[in-house]
Amino acid sequence: MEIALGILVLVAVVCAGSALGRKLNISVPLLLVLTGVAGSFLPFVPPIELNPEVVLVGLLPPLLYAAALRTSLFDFSSNRRAIGLLSVGYVIFGTFAVGLVVWWLFPEIPLAAAIALGAVVAPPDAVAATAIARKVRMPRRIVTILEGESLVNDATALICLRAAIAAISGSVSVTGIAGDFLLAAGGGVAVGMAAAYVLTELRKRTRNVAINTSTSLIAPLVAYLPAEAIHASGVLAVVVTGLVKGTKAPSMPNGAARLSQRSNWNTVKFLLENSVFLLIGLQVRTIIDGVQDDSLGAGRIWAGCALILLAVLVLRPVWVFPATYLPRLIPAVRRNDPAPPWQFAAIVSWAGMRGVVTLAAVLVLPADLEHRSVLILAALVVVGGTLTLQGFTLPGLVRLLRVQGPDQREDALNQASLMQLATVAGVERLQELRTENDPP
């Protein structure tokens, strides 16, 4: 009964908060986070403990799959260098850089545990980045890069986290880490391609709309579970499946099933995406209470968490600007892909909001780890700080830098022109197939 009531309240608050945010033109994710924070301190709201399995298995795969379905594989491939440098290069750089900062601030915490926190806070959140990017109407290339980064970076971060947790127990080597990384990446891609092939062939042969839609809804787990079973990256498998399925969707013969899939996934994405932000806020009271008795002292803990947040904010532009312009010193790269304005790099640098995956991943740390509650609080401060500082100021930064987003009138004209071409082609094909025995 309590679980049913909790789900009811969660969905009701998400719907009400989303409607209010749209009416007042306030960022819905930030409004829901603040609502959750306020709710966590109300006396009649029970303490909410976030189960990492619920997020990493129940929320993350469908959210990534929904985002991958809408991502153009052509655009993803066109920006693969920028996406790779952010989703792999920046995450590894951030993991070790933040880890060293944590170890410097709190020498009592083992280096492996500090690096584990670095892996936790390194990847920007897929949901937060895309939600803010769509609202601000950034240039399409920036949105493509941010969405592509957020699709893959969780896989890199979780691989780094696994290695760090193994190092905490003392059972890790350089060759072991390299082997795990290759297995996770290669296995994830292979399982994702296999899952996409099986699901595509199955849906081609299924005419019933309800069965077709149900097959689509279980697709994330069809990719995730086999990949995790062989110790590959389930997250990467889900992303590959979503990218391939999204590309193949227009060739599916059943138009009603495509419409049903789109409608259902929009609903699932809406509920999960906004529930994530509410859950972030609801964690605040429980996490703050957890550090009250830590031997490091409250003042030192909070000062250290603030410095970790500052390091996270500073390290992203430290990576983004060189990663944007240094490859273009190579003539072949510069010819094929001229350097973008510095404003683009500045926006990508500031669009680094962290989300619920960070909170879920930090809870995976061993329960007997010394000062574990401090690491959890640091993750919370990074999530709250980036969502607040970057989330509230990113629209203003885009306006200040005078970066122009897509022209809605030009988009409407292009869409109308494309629709006319499709209609003409469809009518011509119907005329070719027409016979005298056809009913009027």
Side-chain angles (χ1 to χ4, degrees), residues 132-377:
I132 300 294
R134 286 196 302 269
K135 179 178 175 60
V136 176
R137 287 181 59 243
M138 299 180 192
R140 283 200 177 90
R141 186 172 188 188
I142 294 180
V143 175
T144 299
I145 291 172
L146 291 177
E147 288 183 340
E149 175 198 8
S150 61
L151 286 175
V152 183
N153 61 6
D154 287 326
T156 308
L158 292 175
I159 294 168
C160 293
L161 179 60
R162 283 180 191 171
I165 291 176
I168 292 173
S169 62
S171 58
V172 71
S173 65
V174 175
T175 54
I177 292 175
D180 289 345
F181 191 89
L182 290 175
L183 172 62
V189 172
V191 172
M193 295 291 289
Y197 175 79
V198 171
L199 290 167
T200 301
E201 292 301 311
L202 183 63
R203 293 193 65 198
K204 281 181 179 179
R205 292 162 173 75
T206 305
R207 293 291 176 178
N208 184 280
V209 174
I211 297 175
N212 214 315
T213 303
S214 300
T215 304
S216 172
L217 292 175
I218 64 170
L221 292 180
V222 170
Y224 184 88
L225 295 178
E228 289 294 318
I230 64 170
H231 303 290
S233 173
V235 168
L236 193 56
V238 169
V239 170
V240 171
T241 302
L243 286 171
V244 175
K245 292 281 290 173
T247 304
K248 296 286 187 182
S251 64
M252 292 289 104
N254 195 331
R258 293 203 305 273
L259 292 173
S260 175
Q261 171 188 282
R262 186 181 306 168
S263 174
N264 280 280
W265 269 112
N266 283 340
T267 303
V268 170
K269 178 175 165 294
F270 166 79
L271 287 174
L272 294 184
E273 186 177 277
N274 291 297
S275 297
V276 157
F277 292 109
L278 187 60
L279 287 171
I280 291 173
L282 289 170
Q283 298 303 298
V284 170
R285 178 183 171 187
T286 302
I287 293 174
I288 290 176
D289 290 344
V291 298
Q292 297 300 323
D293 300 324
D294 195 276
S295 60
L296 293 177
R300 185 182 171 198
I301 290 172
W302 283 102
C305 290
L307 289 173
I308 293 169
L309 170 61
L310 180 62
V312 169
L313 295 174
V314 170
L315 286 170
R316 186 165 171 89
V318 166
W319 175 268
V320 168
F321 276 90
T324 301
Y325 295 107
L326 286 181
R328 290 177 170 88
L329 296 178
I330 303 171
V333 175
R334 188 169 58 248
R335 280 195 304 271
N336 296 328
D337 186 15
W342 68 267
Q343 291 91 336
F344 280 35
I347 292 172
V348 171
S349 297
W350 197 240
M353 292 74 71
R354 273 63 174 179
V356 74
V357 175
T358 294
L359 283 181
V362 78
L363 295 175
V364 176
L365 294 175
D368 59 350
L369 180 65
E370 192 176 4
H371 306 298
R372 179 176 182 268
S373 59
V374 176
L375 298 177
I376 295 174
L377 178 65

Side-chain angles (χ1 to χ4, degrees), residues 12 24 54 71 79 93 100 110 120 133-134 151 165 206 222 290 432:
L24 300 178
V54 171
T71 300
N79 294 281
F93 166 74
L100 291 174
V120 164
R134 286 196 302 269
L151 286 175
I165 291 176
T206 305
V222 170
E432 294 174 7

Side-chain angles (χ1 to χ4, degrees), residues 375-399:
L375 298 177
I376 295 174
L377 178 65
L380 174 69
V381 170
V382 170
V383 171
T386 53
L387 279 175
T388 304
L389 293 174
Q390 295 179 325
F392 275 121
T393 58
L394 186 59
L397 178 65
V398 173
R399 288 191 293 269

